[in-house]
Every structure is written in C-alpha cells, then in structure tokens.
Amino acid sequence: MDIRAYLQKKKMLVDDALDRYMPTLDAYPPTIHNAMRYSLFAGGKRLRPILTIASYEAVGGDRGCVLPFACAIELIHTYSLIHDDLPAMDNDDFRRGVLTNHKVYGDAVAILAGDALLTEAFRLMTDSDAISGIDLRAVLDVINDIANAAGASGMVGGQNLDLESEGQDIDLSDLEYIHTHKTGALISVSVSTGAKLGGASEEEVRLLSKYGEAIGLAFQIVDDILDIEGEEALLGKSVGSDAKKQKATYPVFLGIDGSKKLAGELTDNAIVFLEDFDDKAGPLRMIARYIGDRKG
Ligand code: GRG
C-alpha cells in the first residue's frame, strides 16, 4: 500500500471513531457542541492519531484498544489549533480550509470549545468501555505522558515561549525548544502512546520515542518552510504569517536550503531508529518520509 492510500484508510477509521465518541450535534447545549464538531470535522489530516495507530501496530498491538487514545490526542490537537487561532494568539481567519472557530462562533465560544475538547480527551481516555481489558498501569502511564506533553512543560510551554519570542532576538537553541515543545511533544507522545498500549518493551518505547522526537521537529521545520513557499489551497491556512509577526523560524537561522537539509536529516535519523523493527513498522517509515516531503 502506498502512503496516500494508507493515510486515507486510517483517516477514515479515525474520523468514524471520533464521530462515535463525540457527543452528537443535537446534544444540549447546542452552541458548544456545534462549535466543537465544527473544528473537529473541518478536515484535519489526523496525522497524530494515525501515528498512534501505526506505532501500536508496529509493536504487534492487536487488541483494538488504541482508538480512544488516538482520538483523544486529536481532540487535544484540535483544541490547540482553535486557541492558537484566537485574536489574542495568532489571530488567523482560516484553518483546515474553512473560517476559524472564533470567526464563526465568536471568541468566547471558541475558548469554550477548546476547553471542552481538551476535557473531552481526558473523559474519553478514562471511559470504562475504552479502558476495559487494558492493564490500568499502562492506561495511567499514557494519560500521564499525554498530560505532560500537552501542558506547561510541553505544548503549552512551547506556545508560551513562542508568543514571548515574537520580534525578540532569540538563538537557535531557544527556537529548538519552542518547536520541540509547541509541536514536537504531541507528535512524539502520539508515537509513544501507541507503543505502550501495544505492549512494547522498554527498548522499543525508547526507540519509538526517539523516532517521534525526530519526526516532531522535522514536522515543524517543514511547517516553517511551507509558511514561506507553501500553497494556501493545499495548507488550508494563510501563508507568510511568520514573517509578518517577525517570528524566528528555521529558515531565518539556516535559510530555506539549510532547513530542508536538516528536515531531511531528521527524517533519515527517524528511520534509523526503526532499524530493529520488522515490516510492521513499514507505515512509520513511510510517514517519516511523508513528513519530510509534505506540501499540506
Ligand atoms: C494554543 C496551547 C496552544 C498551543 C498551540 C499546535 C500549536 C500550539 C499551534 C498551532 C500553530 C501551528 C500552525 C503550528 C505549526 C504546526 C502545526 C501544529 C500545524 C498544524 O498541524 P497539522 O498540519 O494540522 O497536522 P491538521 O489540520 O492537518 O490537523
């Protein structure tokens, strides 16, 4: 199977599960449920949940317990996009090819929709059906990892430094901290969550976490490049915003070619971390390549 067919098949699986797990559109009160579903089903690539499933399958996970956790990570990601787009943060009008949540529902409801998606993620991961049959120590371990990756020492902390750094003179190690936390932490924990739920050994979790860290940083470096030379129609959002906000990015430090080279090296390294895995890790290898080459 080629990467496009693989991603499409797994995206359908995730979309279907999200639809089943989320409260329906007619749930009360209506506005918040509409706003949550508006952004969740606006057409994301579902890269993070797909990574969780691919990692689970790479280590031989076959008990079908990964989907609620994969979907919970997508809920957290969607909340972060809604909040990131708010006027107080990036102030963006388009996301996933449609108007941003606050443009449709207003700032207050967009804040609540993000809050509710974040909370819903933790409800889903502690739902008795979702966790039935899984070793509860593994459940607590992955929930703890996900909370760390999403919170002040992970994504929120990276976002905080990113906002404070606009227009400031920062160095490459500050930028690496921002990228590995703002974007990399959730991507990396997507991979480790799948591995742990799939029953991976400690060494397998270590290697897959290294893989996740490498593709997480590569993903954000490619995002910096796409903000300069990407196509809005493929990205579903405006380009050129980093330069407008005087954000430090990898192309500012390394140039476009240097940034592409580094993203290529990171995805190559990611694949090296998979050397000891068998064919079941094939999708993870393809996803690393896809992240290096993506246009949207
Ligand atoms: C507001 C707490 C908080 C955090 C925001 C993720 C994030 C942190 C901000 C998003 C800003 C941004 C565009 C970062 C670039 C990398 C990124 C996360 C892109 C969006 O992810 P994709 O391309 O999006 O996987 P889809 O829509 O496909 O899910």
Side-chain angles (χ1 to χ4, degrees):
M1 193 185 285
D2 73 3
I3 181 68
R4 276 180 209 294
Y6 177 84
L7 292 176
Q8 183 57 26
K9 187 170 154 227
K10 295 296 188 198
K11 177 176 154 51
M12 282 166 63
L13 183 74
V14 171
D15 285 346
D16 176 66
L18 282 169
D19 191 36
R20 282 186 285 112
Y21 297 148
M22 287 294 288
T24 51
L25 265 186
D26 55 10
Y28 190 80
T31 309
I32 187 66
H33 290 101
N34 276 269
M36 288 159 77
R37 278 184 166 260
Y38 172 79
S39 291
L40 191 58
F41 294 107
K45 294 182 287 299
R46 312 303 192 204
L47 177 67
R48 294 154 191 79
I50 292 172
L51 278 167
T52 308
I53 297 166
S55 177
Y56 177 80
E57 292 176 349
V59 299
D62 61 359
R63 293 182 39 240
C65 61
V66 72
L67 263 180
F69 295 86
C71 288
I73 293 172
E74 182 66 19
L75 298 181
I76 295 171
H77 168 59
T78 305
Y79 122 74
S80 80
L81 298 180
I82 295 173
H83 282 193
D84 182 69
D85 291 334
L86 285 165
M89 295 208 206
D90 262 11
N91 194 18
D92 280 314
D93 293 351
F94 288 95
R95 168 73 65 186
R96 293 178 161 173
V98 296
L99 283 172
T100 44
N101 200 289
H102 66 273
K103 283 278 161 191
V104 176
Y105 294 96
D107 295 1
V109 172
I111 292 169
L112 292 176
D115 293 342
L117 286 166
L118 173 61
T119 312
E120 188 64 17
F122 287 89
R123 187 204 60 74
L124 182 55
M125 291 187 287
T126 51
D127 180 86
S128 55
D129 284 344
I131 60 178
S132 95
I134 317 178
D135 173 7
L136 288 185
R137 278 166 310 184
V139 171
L140 287 178
D141 187 28
V142 298
I143 292 176
N144 187 259
D145 287 349
I146 292 169
N148 275 318
S153 53
M155 179 178 72
V156 169
Q159 176 78 348
N160 176 219
L161 265 196
D162 191 25
L163 292 170
E164 279 178 4
S165 303
E166 280 177 23
Q168 302 295 311
D169 199 10
I170 64 165
D171 63 27
L172 192 55
S173 70
D174 297 324
L175 182 64
E176 187 177 323
Y177 182 94
I178 291 169
H179 281 21
T180 52
H181 289 74
K182 180 180 92 163
T183 313
L186 204 60
I187 290 181
S188 181
V189 86
S190 303
V191 179
S192 62
T193 296
K196 287 184 176 181
L197 292 173
S201 67
E202 266 180 41
E203 178 61 3
E204 285 173 329
V205 172
R206 190 187 72 78
L207 290 167
L208 287 168
S209 299
K210 289 277 183 201
Y211 162 90
E213 285 163 20
I215 60 163
L217 180 56
F219 183 90
Q220 182 59 57
I221 294 173
V222 171
D223 208 76
D224 288 353
I225 297 167
L226 290 174
D227 196 63
I228 297 170
E229 46 174 47
E231 284 179 43
E232 291 190 1
L234 293 177
L235 290 167
K237 61 174 185 174
S238 323
V239 296
S241 61
D242 291 341
K244 236 181 273 163
K245 288 174 191 134
Q246 293 183 291
K247 273 197 180 180
T249 62
Y250 271 79
V252 168
F253 283 99
L254 306 179
I256 288 273
D257 288 345
S259 303
K260 284 182 180 169
K261 186 165 172 277
L262 179 57
E265 284 165 6
L266 285 163
T267 52
D268 287 347
N269 290 345
I271 291 167
V272 173
F273 289 122
L274 302 177
E275 242 167 27
D276 291 339
F277 290 79
D278 64 17
D279 286 354
K280 293 195 292 304
L284 288 178
R285 297 185 180 95
M286 287 196 301
I287 293 171
R289 290 264 166 261
Y290 160 80
I291 283 176
D293 297 339
R294 77 188 175 98
K295 305 278 178 272

